[in-house]
Amino acid sequence: MQDASPPKKPYHHGSLKEALVAAGIEILDARGLEALSLRAIAAHVGVSHTAPKNHFGSLKGLLTAIAAEGFARHRAFMLDGAQGGDAKARQYAAMQGYIRFAQVHPHLFRLMFSPALCAMDDPDLMAAARASYGVLASIAKGLDWDKSGAADADRRAELMLWSLVHGYAMLSLSGSAQGTGAVLSISDIMPDFGYLPKDHRAP
Amino acid sequence: MQDASPPKKPYHHGSLKEALVAAGIEILDARGLEALSLRAIAAHVGVSHTAPKNHFGSLKGLLTAIAAEGFARHRAFMLDGAQGGDAKARQYAAMQGYIRFAQVHPHLFRLMFSPALCAMDDPDLMAAARASYGVLASIAKGLDWDKSGAADADRRAELMLWSLVHGYAMLSLSGSAQGTGAVLSISDIMPDFGYLPKDHRAP
DNA sequence: GCAAAATATTTACACTGGAAACATGCAAGA
DNA sequence: TCTTGCATGTTTCCAGTGTAAATATTTTGC
C-alpha cells in the first residue's frame, strides 16, 4: 500500500525540488537578494550547485518557482484574518495583508515582480499570481469606485485598487517614502478606512 | 581666462564621470539590466574596467549616480508639455509623464527604485528623487482628494497619488498587468481624466 | 623644475552560473 | 536474477563578474 501523495517522489534526496524552494525563501528572508546564489541555495540543502539544474533548468527557473511559492503565501496573507467577517472587514484584511506581506518578505516580494529574475510567462507562476490577484479583485467590486457605469468599470476599479496598494507597498520598500520603518497601514492611503482598528498583529 | 563651468575638470579623459553615467543609461536602454556590468560600461567609454572606481568607489556608486541622473530625466518628463497650460493640464502632464518615463526607460526606472542596487541614502540621489517627487506633490493639492480636513491631509493626498501612479507604472513593467504592450494612459486608473485628450506623442 | 596628488592600467583573486562527462540509484522487463 | 534504461547528483572545467593592490602616467601646486 503506497502513500496517497502525488506520485512524483524523487529518488535520492526525498524531495529536492521543494527543499530548494524553501531554502531559497529562507536565504531571501535572512540575507536578501544578494546572497541568493545558486551555490548558496544548494549548499543550504546539502547538494552540489549543479543539482538544481535537473529540476529547474537554470537559476531563473528556480527563482521562478520561488516566486510562485511567494504568490501562494501572498494570497494566504490576504485571506488571513478575513474569515467570518463582514464585507468591509474582508476588504481591510486583504489590503492590509498585501502590505504586510511586502513588509515581512521584502526581498521575496520584489523578486515576485522582477521580470529580469523570473520567467513571468511560466504557467505555474502565472497561475499563482492570478490566484493572488483574484483576492484583491474580488473585493474591488465592493469599494464602489468608478461609478461611471462604463462597460469596463469593474476591471478599471480592480486596476486602480491594485495600483494603489502595490505602489504603496513598493514605495515603502524602496526607502523613498519614509525612513521611520513603522508598520504601514492601508489607512495611510485610503481615508475611508481611517476609522478601522489598527493592526491586530505585530510586524 | 578659464571656462566659467564648475572648477572640477577631469584630467585625462575629459569628463569620465559623466561619460560613464551616460554610457550606463545607453546600455540600460539598449540591452537591459543584465548587460549593465562594470566592464561593459567601461568598455563602452574606452577605459579599463577599474577606472570607474576612482570616481564612484564601486559598482553600486556608479549605479547610484545613474539612478540620480534617471530622476533628473524623470522630472523632466513630468514637466514636459505642461508649460503654459492650466492646472488640470499640468496635472495630466505630470502623471502621464511619470508613466511615459517608465515605459521609455523601463530598466532605468526599476534601477531607480532598487535599494539592492543603489545607495538610497546617497545625498545626490536623495536630492534628485526629492526634486522629482516635488513635481507630483505640487499637483496633488489640486486634486481635492482627502477632504477630511485632517492636519496631514496634504501629505496623505501626495502619498495616495504617488502610490497610485507608481503602482500602475510598476505593474505595467512587471508584465503582470497586461500583455498588449499598448501605450498606458493615466485615465486607465483615474476616471476623472477619462475625457482628456489622448497622448500627444508616440511612445 | 619638482614634488605631490589625481587619474588610469595591469595583474591577481574569489566568486558566480552554466556545460560536459561521469557516477549513482531506482524501475521495469527478460 | 540480471540487465537495460532513465532519473538524479557529482565532479570538473570554463567564461564572466566585481574588487583589491601595485604600478604607470598625467596634471596641479609651489
Side-chain angles (χ1 to χ4, degrees):
Chain A
M1 166 162 222
Q2 76 261 11
D3 203 322
S5 59
K8 276 191 181 179
K9 275 239 170 177
Y11 302 71
H12 301 67
H13 175 278
S15 53
L16 225 195
K17 210 166 175 178
E18 300 149 23
L20 286 170
V21 171
I25 294 183
E26 279 182 33
I27 293 176
L28 216 40
D29 286 340
R31 299 192 286 146
L33 240 174
E34 303 163 348
L36 193 69
S37 70
L38 200 51
R39 290 168 129 97
I41 300 176
H44 196 275
V45 175
V47 295
S48 71
H49 81 280
T50 52
K53 183 165 192 177
N54 293 316
H55 298 276
F56 302 101
S58 67
L59 172 65
K60 193 162 193 171
L62 175 50
L63 295 184
T64 302
I66 291 174
E69 170 64 22
F71 271 111
R73 300 191 185 186
H74 185 232
R75 180 169 184 273
F77 264 65
M78 288 195 282
L79 292 176
D80 184 27
Q83 317 292 352
D86 61 355
K88 199 126 196 173
R90 245 175 303 143
Q91 290 170 7
Y92 177 76
M95 293 185 284
Q96 192 63 40
Y98 196 113
I99 292 169
R100 193 163 53 86
F101 179 86
Q103 285 195 291
V104 175
H105 302 290
H107 302 102
L108 178 56
F109 182 74
R110 295 195 80 94
L111 170 66
M112 285 157 51
F113 295 95
S114 299
L117 301 175
C118 302
M120 289 306 185
D121 55 347
D122 177 78
D124 291 339
L125 178 59
M126 287 180 70
R130 230 186 292 273
S132 185
Y133 174 73
V135 178
L136 211 61
S138 71
I139 70 161
K141 292 186 180 66
L143 289 177
D144 236 19
W145 289 357
D146 194 348
K147 302 160 188 165
S148 66
D152 60 344
D154 273 4
R155 228 186 68 81
R156 196 152 65 176
E158 294 171 10
L159 190 55
M160 286 175 66
L161 174 62
W162 197 19
S163 295
L164 183 63
V165 176
H166 185 77
Y168 184 53
M170 268 296 183
L171 286 174
S172 68
L173 294 186
S174 298
S176 311
Q178 58 181 19
T180 65
V183 179
L184 300 181
S185 171
I186 188 66
S187 57
D188 284 344
I189 50 172
M190 289 197 60
D192 289 350
F193 283 87
Y195 62 86
L196 278 170
K198 296 184 186 189
D199 285 337
H200 53 293
R201 76 190 65 231
Chain B
M1 169 164 219
Q2 74 261 11
D3 204 322
S5 59
K8 275 192 180 177
K9 276 238 170 178
Y11 304 72
H12 300 67
H13 175 276
S15 53
L16 225 195
K17 212 166 175 178
E18 301 149 23
L20 286 171
V21 171
I25 294 183
E26 280 183 31
I27 293 176
L28 217 40
D29 286 340
R31 297 191 287 148
L33 240 174
E34 303 163 347
L36 192 70
S37 71
L38 200 50
R39 292 168 130 97
I41 300 176
H44 196 275
V45 175
V47 295
S48 73
H49 77 282
T50 53
K53 182 165 192 178
N54 294 315
H55 299 275
F56 301 101
S58 67
L59 172 65
K60 194 164 192 169
L62 174 50
L63 295 184
T64 302
I66 291 174
E69 170 64 20
F71 271 110
R73 301 191 186 187
H74 185 231
R75 181 171 184 272
F77 263 66
M78 287 196 282
L79 292 177
D80 183 28
Q83 316 293 354
D86 61 354
K88 199 125 195 171
R90 246 175 303 143
Q91 292 171 5
Y92 177 78
M95 294 186 284
Q96 193 62 43
Y98 196 112
I99 292 169
R100 194 163 53 87
F101 179 87
Q103 283 195 293
V104 175
H105 302 290
H107 302 103
L108 177 57
F109 183 74
R110 296 196 80 93
L111 171 65
M112 287 157 50
F113 294 95
S114 299
L117 301 174
C118 302
M120 289 305 185
D121 55 347
D122 177 79
D124 291 341
L125 178 58
M126 287 178 70
R130 231 186 291 273
S132 185
Y133 174 73
V135 178
L136 211 59
S138 71
I139 70 161
K141 292 186 180 65
L143 290 177
D144 235 20
W145 290 357
D146 195 348
K147 300 162 190 164
S148 66
D152 59 345
D154 273 3
R155 228 185 68 81
R156 196 152 65 177
E158 295 171 10
L159 190 55
M160 286 174 64
L161 174 62
W162 197 18
S163 296
L164 183 63
V165 176
H166 186 76
Y168 184 54
M170 269 294 183
L171 286 175
S172 67
L173 295 186
S174 297
S176 312
Q178 58 180 20
T180 65
V183 179
L184 300 181
S185 170
I186 187 65
S187 56
D188 285 343
I189 51 172
M190 289 196 60
D192 289 351
F193 283 86
Y195 63 86
L196 277 172
K198 298 182 188 196
D199 284 337
H200 53 292
R201 77 190 62 231

